[in-house]
């Protein structure tokens, strides 16, 4: 299961808060995972992309919808990859009607959205959880912190401004190894090529995590 794209949080019926996520990385990962033989559910916010063949596409708009769809999907999934750039905040009460421009200033009250990947990682019967960290500075340092704080198994940290809407990506894979962390550089390369490297790494970490007695 993967989450993809931005989420969109309504201000009123014609306006919303969102971000520049294109969904390209998640769609590339979904396509490559299907090629590798996986059964893929792609929970996608609004993007201008066509879902790859043989992918089960679940279209959502808001973070809350993405959370609901994710919780429904993970009961039956081995790997959850949170690629979506989920809006951190939503408008506390969106207006039922278009807000008129009468006032000189306008205040919106924003409330925190649920943390989708954190919620999935905290489930008692959880899949292997993979996160992304789009940062604009101190990419690896923030990535390490995020891995721990959200309880993830593997994290791909990348530079947000260089990656959003781009066809290529450079990322640092970070995972915990005993009491410390290990990391590996991926790319810079086309998102499909990097997606294959990411899936290979997920496979390696999954195998490394298996108890020795397991077949
Ligand atoms: O904390 P930050 O938003 O940078 O974390 C990024 C990671 O967390 C990504 O994997 C993203 O998909 C996930 N995320 C989430 N729900 C949120 C915010 C981020 O699943 N509300």
């Amino acid at each position: 299961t993967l989450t993809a794209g931005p989420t969109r949080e309504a201000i009123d019926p014609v306006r919303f808060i969102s971000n520049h996520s294109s969904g390209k990385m998640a769609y590339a990962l979904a396509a490559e995972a299907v090629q590798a033989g996986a059964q893929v559910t792609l929970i996608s916010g609004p993007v201008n992309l066509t879902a790859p063949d043989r992918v089960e596409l679940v279209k959502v708009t808001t973070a809350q919808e993405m959370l609901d769809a994710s919780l429904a999907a993970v009961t039956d999934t081995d790997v959850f990859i949170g690629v979506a750039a989920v809006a951190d905040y939503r408008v506390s009460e969106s207006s039922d009607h278009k807000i008129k421009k009468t006032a000189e200033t306008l205040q919106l009250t924003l409330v925190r959205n649920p943390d989708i990947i954190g919620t999935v990682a905290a489930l008692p019967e959880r899949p292997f959880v993979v996160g992304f960290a789009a940062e604009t500075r101190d990419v690896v340092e923030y990535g390490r912190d995020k891995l721990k704080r959200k309880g993830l198994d593997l994290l791909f940290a990348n530079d947000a401004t260089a990656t959003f809407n781009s066809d290529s990506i450079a990322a640092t894979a970070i995972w915990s190894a005993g009491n410390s962390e290990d990391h590996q550089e991926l790319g810079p390369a086309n998102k499909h090529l990097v997606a294959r490297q990411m899936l290979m790494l997920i496979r390696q970490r999954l195998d490394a995590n298996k108890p020795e007695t397991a077949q």
Side-chain angles (χ1 to χ4, degrees), residues 3 82-84 86 88 114-117 131-132 135 146 150:
T3 63
V83 199
V86 183
D88 290 326
D115 189 322
I116 298 168
I117 207 166
F132 275 73
E135 305 288 355
K146 200 158 290 180
K150 298 202 181 205

Side-chain angles (χ1 to χ4, degrees), residues 10-163:
I11 297 171
D12 69 17
V14 295
R15 306 181 179 99
F16 55 82
I17 296 174
S18 193
N19 60 63
H20 288 299
S21 170
S22 65
K24 284 179 184 170
M25 189 68 240
Y27 277 60
L29 273 165
E32 296 299 333
V34 161
Q35 282 298 320
Q39 196 186 322
V40 177
T41 302
L42 182 60
I43 302 168
S44 180
V47 295
N48 284 315
L49 297 171
T50 310
D53 283 346
R54 289 175 284 141
V55 161
E56 185 191 338
L57 179 69
V58 181
K59 286 189 182 180
V60 296
T61 305
T62 65
Q64 187 60 53
E65 288 169 10
M66 190 173 273
L67 175 66
D68 294 344
S70 297
L71 290 177
V74 294
T75 54
D76 186 28
T77 201
D78 300 321
V79 181
F80 180 83
I81 315 179
V83 199
V86 183
D88 290 326
Y89 294 88
R90 67 176 180 278
V91 178
S92 68
E93 273 179 69
S94 66
S95 172
D96 289 341
H97 298 284
K98 187 179 166 191
I99 299 170
K100 293 290 178 194
K101 56 169 178 295
T102 45
E104 267 318 304
T105 63
L106 174 68
Q107 285 198 345
L108 294 173
T109 303
L110 305 181
V111 293
R112 279 283 284 272
N113 263 331
D115 189 322
I116 298 168
I117 207 166
T119 307
V120 169
L123 291 173
E125 302 243 337
R126 51 169 253 169
F128 185 88
V129 182
V130 183
F132 275 73
E135 305 288 355
T136 52
R137 62 192 172 116
D138 301 330
V139 168
V140 177
E141 199 177 317
Y142 282 134
R144 280 208 183 95
D145 175 61
K146 200 158 290 180
L147 184 78
K148 285 196 190 144
R149 195 161 31 82
K150 298 202 181 205
L152 310 179
D153 296 302
L154 176 63
L155 183 93
F156 297 115
N158 60 283
D159 186 321
T161 41
T163 304

